[in-house]
Amino acid sequence: MAAIVHFEIPTDDKDRANTFYESAFGWNLSPMQGMDYTIAITAPSDEQTGTPKEPGAINGALFPRTDALKTPVLTIDVDNIDAALAQVESAGGSVVQAKDAVPTMGWYAYFKDTEGNVLGVWQTDTSAGT
């Protein structure tokens, strides 16, 4: 069973949004190098992997709002992103943004389900660090 492992919140004003989430919830926000993307640590996490230590907790990110990505996105962990996107389409969904890489970390894509919701899929690069 594929689990939800990440969330993303679109923003119109990165500084305003960062200030809000830091002030309102105490999240630790840090920009990701080379991307217009801010990592949000929301729970105590492993310092090496960033994985939350608490069962069921997830971390996320803030990113610039686009026409295709207007609302918060939940991301589902998959073993094979290409197969997952094919299964999404087979089940009646559609790909919103094709697979792209986060160097040394993995691959992501966005899809629309049969209800019009946009969600993400993530495949970890298991060769990283080996």
Side-chain angles (χ1 to χ4, degrees):
M1 185 179 311
I4 294 174
V5 295
H6 186 73
F7 67 85
E8 294 172 309
I9 300 172
T11 66
D12 295 315
D13 180 319
K14 177 173 49 178
D15 293 334
R16 180 180 64 205
N18 288 354
T19 299
F20 173 80
Y21 285 103
E22 286 174 337
S23 299
F25 301 108
W27 292 357
N28 180 2
L29 301 172
S30 59
M32 188 166 191
Q33 294 296 329
M35 297 178 71
D36 193 4
Y37 199 78
T38 302
I39 299 297
I41 303 298
T42 66
S45 300
D46 180 277
E47 293 196 21
Q48 291 267 334
T49 66
T51 304
K53 294 178 181 179
E54 300 173 14
I58 62 173
N59 289 318
L62 285 71
F63 69 99
R65 186 181 321 274
T66 66
D67 287 340
L69 302 170
K70 298 178 184 182
T71 61
V73 176
L74 299 173
T75 299
I76 301 164
D77 188 46
V78 297
D79 291 331
N80 182 315
I81 199 166
D82 297 315
L85 292 172
Q87 187 62 32
V88 161
E89 291 180 317
S90 175
S94 61
V95 176
V96 172
Q97 183 175 322
K99 176 174 95 172
D100 200 358
V102 177
T104 73
M105 295 180 71
W107 298 268
Y108 68 94
Y110 297 99
F111 70 91
K112 189 177 288 189
D113 69 10
T114 58
E115 308 311 300
N117 300 302
V118 174
L119 291 99
V121 285
W122 171 260
Q123 177 186 335
T124 299
D125 182 353
T126 56
S127 69
T130 58

